[in-house]
Amino acid sequence: MLGLQKKDASLLLLVFALTMLAPFILNPFPEGSGWAQFNAGYPDLMQRFVIFGIFAIGFNILFGLTGYLSFGHAAFLGIGSYSAVWMFKLLSMNVIPAIALAVITSGLFALLIGYISLRRSGIYFSILTLAFAQMSFALAYSVLTPITGGETGLQLALSDPRILDGAAEAGNLPVPGLFGMEMRNSTEWVVGAWVFTFNIGYYFAAFIMLCSFYLAIRIFRSPFGLMLRAVKSNQQRLNYTGLNTRPYTLAAFVISGMYAGLAGGLMAAMDPLAGAERMFWTASGEVVLMTILGGVGTLIGPVLGAGMIKYMENILSKINSDILHTWFAFMPDGLEDFVVAIIYPFIGKGWHLTLGLLFMMVVIFLPGGLVEGGQKLAKLFKRDKKDDDGAKTADATTPAE
């Protein structure tokens, strides 16, 4: 299937099913129920799931295959966003040219930054990428304000030329679209107490994510991916053989940067605004957490890690003490207050504490991330099944000869 092995094709079909059925999977609880707080099937959050999944997939191509840990990938995310918004301002509100420019621009920046940073390895490479990202943030925030909009960010305006679409003379600002279909358009399907939302922007971003995932599979299984694994295993030994590894690592860095630019362009396509905060070092650290949490060097791991972190950021952070008191109202007053006081520091504004504890547990007990946890569960069920089959075989009587 599509030139993939059976295992990889099954994985691609699994990701396809999860993305296409996300409005149903992420809305398990009926509207109005106490558990509806945990539903995540609304367009903005679903878009974030797939967009940051693309970001993490690209980062994993660099970190997971070569072992080079970049602390500056948010620079390419921001560059992609700025490029897309400028395309919206100057040419057209069609998302295709904007995303294409975002990928190309971020790729060129990645080529420049990677050419310099890859002269060093290990922690020195990481610090170099962090320095470039912080310089990019400073330039966008305070130096290049005519281009980036400074602290207020780059936004659309009615006076923008938009050569192909024409400038809007009055009324509301135009919105990004795809050949007449606006990214914000949604359709709701009410089934009993459930409300499922199908958003054009989400499915467009999901299609791009599936293509990106397929490309990542081909890279992982290619001779190029095998060479990157050799670099991670023992780069010094490769150098001793006379093989120059820099072109391979530079290519991986550029591809990873283009993935980040693609994610940034999609963010601008969903919400045409670009700000310098997308280039800050915390955004670079976030994608590192996503990749490690999901599973470094795995295919689906970064997608799972991105979904987990974005879910916690948008769902756990909205739970407050009033909601907790509603949940535990069946308890006696003193016990209810005690339970709420214990749980409250881990939700709402303290959701980072929960994320930190989860990350510590994964690093200590599941170094392979969520993927390793899933593999261990699968092996456990298989072992139980084999034990049951063995017991049945032992209990069976053998006829006398």
Side-chain angles (χ1 to χ4, degrees):
M1 175 183 172
L2 300 175
L4 301 179
Q5 300 175 0
K6 183 179 179 180
K7 183 179 179 181
D8 293 333
S10 300
L11 187 60
L12 181 62
L13 287 175
L14 174 63
V15 176
F16 174 81
L18 291 175
T19 52
M20 293 299 107
L21 299 177
F24 301 100
I25 298 172
L26 298 175
N27 271 335
F29 305 110
E31 293 291 325
S33 69
W35 295 100
Q37 175 71 34
F38 293 100
N39 285 344
Y42 50 92
D44 180 66
L45 184 52
M46 291 193 298
Q47 291 167 8
R48 288 180 176 273
F49 285 159
V50 294
I51 290 173
F52 279 90
I54 294 172
F55 190 19
I57 290 171
F59 180 80
N60 189 47
I61 291 176
L62 176 68
F63 181 42
L65 288 181
T66 69
Y68 278 80
L69 177 58
S70 170
F71 286 144
H73 256 53
F76 310 123
L77 184 75
I79 289 168
S81 294
Y82 281 121
S83 301
V85 175
W86 269 112
M87 183 61 78
F88 290 143
K89 292 171 71 69
L90 298 178
L91 186 64
S92 170
M93 293 303 296
N94 192 307
V95 297
I96 299 298
I99 291 174
L101 180 64
V103 172
I104 294 172
T105 306
S106 56
L108 292 175
F109 272 84
L111 180 63
L112 174 63
I113 294 175
Y115 181 79
I116 299 173
S117 301
L118 287 168
R119 293 178 178 274
R120 294 291 180 266
S121 60
I123 189 63
Y124 304 105
F125 167 81
S126 301
I127 296 301
L128 278 173
T129 55
L130 176 61
F132 276 114
Q134 286 303 100
M135 285 191 292
S136 300
F137 168 77
L139 288 172
Y141 191 80
S142 59
V143 179
L144 301 177
T145 51
I147 299 175
T148 62
E151 60 180 325
T152 59
L154 186 63
Q155 307 176 39
L156 300 180
L158 292 174
S159 58
D160 293 333
R162 276 182 285 277
I163 298 172
L164 296 183
D165 296 345
E169 296 180 357
N172 297 326
L173 288 171
V175 296
L178 179 66
F179 306 116
M181 298 183 295
E182 295 183 357
M183 293 291 103
R184 66 183 181 182
N185 285 352
S186 299
T187 300
E188 290 187 348
W189 184 27
V190 180
V191 181
W194 282 264
V195 179
F196 304 109
T197 305
F198 305 91
N199 175 255
I200 289 178
Y202 165 73
Y203 277 105
F204 174 73
F207 173 75
I208 298 296
M209 195 271 282
L210 287 171
C211 294
S212 303
F213 188 75
Y214 171 74
L215 180 59
I217 295 176
R218 299 305 299 263
I219 291 174
F220 268 65
R221 305 303 183 217
S222 67
F224 172 69
L226 187 62
M227 181 60 69
L228 295 181
R229 285 192 176 89
V231 170
K232 181 179 181 179
S233 177
N234 198 321
Q235 185 175 4
Q236 189 174 15
R237 184 173 295 176
L238 284 177
N239 291 332
Y240 285 159
T241 64
L243 180 66
N244 184 10
T245 59
R246 281 196 62 194
Y248 295 96
T249 53
L250 181 58
F253 190 90
V254 172
I255 293 171
S256 184
M258 293 173 75
Y259 266 81
L262 174 61
L266 283 172
M267 290 177 69
M270 302 304 119
D271 182 14
L273 171 67
E277 70 279 355
R278 291 180 183 173
M279 310 174 81
F280 198 54
W281 68 269
T282 52
S284 297
E286 192 174 43
V287 73
V288 176
L289 291 179
M290 291 174 181
T291 307
I292 296 176
L293 183 63
V296 179
T298 63
L299 287 166
I300 198 173
V303 181
L304 297 177
M308 176 67 73
I309 289 180
K310 287 303 166 183
Y311 181 86
M312 295 177 67
E313 178 183 342
N314 290 271
I315 301 300
L316 285 186
S317 62
K318 293 192 300 183
I319 302 176
N320 52 37
S321 59
D322 294 336
I323 295 175
L324 291 178
H325 279 290
T326 302
W327 289 350
F328 300 104
F330 63 92
M331 294 182 174
D333 291 342
L335 182 59
E336 176 188 339
D337 293 338
F338 175 75
V339 172
V340 171
I342 293 297
I343 298 177
Y344 183 71
F346 297 91
I347 50 90
K349 294 181 180 180
W351 74 271
H352 288 94
L353 182 58
T354 304
L355 176 62
L357 292 174
L358 176 64
F359 186 73
M360 288 171 58
M361 293 175 63
V362 167
V363 170
I364 295 172
F365 299 107
L366 295 173
L370 297 176
V371 171
E372 182 183 346
Q375 291 172 346
K376 287 186 175 181
L377 287 176
K379 289 180 180 179
L380 182 63
F381 284 118
K382 287 182 180 179
R383 186 181 306 165
D384 292 342
K385 185 177 180 181
K386 287 181 180 179
D387 292 342
D388 292 340
D389 293 340
K392 290 179 181 178
T393 303
D395 293 340
T397 57
T398 305
E401 295 179 357

